[in-house]
Amino acid sequence: MEKLSSQFKSDFFVIKALEDGVNVIGLTRGSDTRFHHSEKLDKDEVMIAQFTEHTSAVKVRGKAIIQTSHGQIDNN
Ligand code: TRP
């Protein structure tokens, strides 16, 4: 199981909130795609996270800077 877990561990990505109430929503990996976690960030708060065996997609609502190994997105 530990080997399987590490297969999904990827680079970290960074989300910096540019306003209060930015939501970082984690979506489940696998055939049943649903929200499993919602994290609320206030202005200037930073979240550092990874895609994992539980999380295959992330939805960001609100103004934020998102940095990944693929580049930076300014969600203004
Ligand atoms: N328990 C979650 C997991 O291991 C925590 C998590 C990791 C998460 N990355 C995330 C939650 C991204 C929201 C968004 O998958």
Side-chain angles (χ1 to χ4, degrees), residues 11 14 24 33 37 43 75:
D11 285 347
V14 178
V24 180
T33 305
H37 185 90
K43 190 174 190 307
N75 201 10

Side-chain angles (χ1 to χ4, degrees), residues 12-63:
F12 286 85
F13 54 90
V14 178
I15 300 159
K16 181 183 179 188
L18 299 177
E19 64 179 0
D20 287 348
V22 170
N23 266 299
V24 180
I25 300 158
L27 292 108
T28 54
R29 187 176 295 282
S31 52
D32 175 27
T33 305
R34 56 183 170 73
F35 290 8
H36 71 74
H37 185 90
S38 179
E39 190 71 29
K40 194 164 261 185
L41 305 181
D42 284 332
K43 190 174 190 307
D44 295 330
E45 282 190 319
V46 171
M47 182 171 171
I48 303 164
Q50 285 173 295
F51 291 101
T52 68
E53 66 270 37
H54 303 298
T55 307
S56 66
V58 172
K59 175 172 166 176
V60 179
R61 298 184 84 160
K63 294 181 183 175

